[in-house]
Amino acid sequence: MWLGFLGVAAFSLTVPFTKVAVAGLAPLFIGSGRAVVAAALAGAALALTRQALPRGTQWFRVAVVASGVVIGFPLLTSFALTSTAASHGAVVIALLPAATATAAVIRGRERPPVAFWLVSGVGALAVTVFASVQSGGFGVLHWADLLLLGSVVAAAIGYAEGGLLARELGSWQTISWALVLASPLMLVLAAASAAQQPPSATPEQWAAFGYLAVVSMFLGFFAWYRGLAIGPIARVSQIQLIQPVLTISWAALLLGEALTWSTALGGLAVILCAAAAVRVRLKPAPSSQLHPASLQPVKD
């Protein structure tokens, strides 16, 4: 749980620092460039410690992790935060704990109670209503909200699969191989963005980019995937419930964003729904549902 908290604390600054970076750097460069820098660190760490290569289907699972947390989440959030506040993004991303628990359920082929799907659906509805109200009316979603929701799906899949894969490859090894695997694509995207719009930013914006590359994209996953590997994934993912609170606080302190009642109420509603979904997911099955054979004593 402490490892999970350390990872969440590191990730809580991702949205505010992305908001800082997009003020001077192209979103495509931020989303891809941070992965290139992190991949260089990851490749060096893998080479120096002489880590064994993933085998067989592990490469496909590494690709799933890379698609979610190396490619999908960074790019989608970078583009979304060019036109929306960091606190707004934090509320939408607050759906992530429930989404991660849902991905773990689907990945593990579990059959959670109907209540799990109900509260997860209510959480998704709460996010939709919040985004609609702030976008100008019910049923109206800004394109940035769609990108943020897409980033939630991408991260949830990457978190769930990465947590399982970390039990086989190791925590930092999992994110490192994902970064290395995605590096050719991200290098091409970063080069194309730099050629079209040469990077030009203030020292503060470059510092924010550096945090995104070194901590959000690399070091934060050391603790996060290790916590998920020890697991269970759905229990450790509960710690994500404090991430939007931290992120909104950072947005107010670092960016001077005002905390409105709609943001506070929207964030509270989503957090409560996510907490309920995770708790229902973790609730043990009643003893009456146990198969009689499972009640027999174990013989030596």
Side-chain angles (χ1 to χ4, degrees), residues 3-211:
L3 288 168
F5 175 77
L6 183 59
V8 165
F11 296 150
S12 68
L13 283 160
T14 298
V15 170
F17 280 156
T18 300
K19 185 66 177 178
V20 172
V22 295
L25 299 169
L28 180 59
F29 180 81
I30 296 171
S32 56
R34 61 191 270 193
V36 173
V37 174
L41 298 174
L46 291 169
L48 290 173
T49 56
R50 299 182 179 180
Q51 296 295 316
L53 291 170
R55 294 178 296 179
T57 57
Q58 287 179 337
W59 279 115
F60 173 76
R61 297 169 64 190
V62 169
V64 172
V65 175
S67 299
V69 301
V70 178
I71 301 173
F73 186 84
L75 287 174
L76 292 174
T77 53
S78 294
F79 278 100
L81 289 170
T82 59
S83 61
T84 191
S87 56
H88 178 98
V91 173
V92 178
I93 295 174
L95 191 62
L96 187 53
T100 301
T102 301
V105 163
I106 296 173
R107 179 65 175 83
R109 298 181 181 178
E110 301 175 15
R111 294 183 179 180
V114 175
F116 172 83
W117 300 111
L118 288 177
V119 293
S120 296
V122 172
L125 179 61
V127 168
T128 303
V129 171
F130 166 80
S132 296
V133 170
Q134 292 209 334
S135 296
F138 185 75
V140 179
L141 285 177
H142 193 272
W143 64 270
D145 293 310
L146 299 178
L147 293 178
L148 289 169
L149 289 172
S151 73
V152 167
V153 174
I157 294 173
Y159 284 171
E161 189 61 47
L164 293 173
L165 191 57
R167 297 172 181 172
E168 303 173 22
L169 297 179
S171 55
W172 70 267
Q173 293 92 333
T174 296
I175 186 60
S176 293
W177 285 119
L179 286 164
V180 170
L181 185 63
S183 60
L185 172 62
M186 304 309 273
L187 182 59
V188 170
L189 293 177
S193 177
Q196 182 178 11
Q197 182 180 338
S200 177
T202 64
E204 291 79 9
Q205 292 162 353
W206 278 118
F209 174 82
Y211 183 93

Side-chain angles (χ1 to χ4, degrees), residues 94-99 101 119-120 123 238 241 269-279:
L95 191 62
L96 187 53
V119 293
S120 296
Q238 288 183 95
L241 296 170
V270 177
I271 291 170
L272 290 176
C273 290
V278 174
R279 285 188 174 275

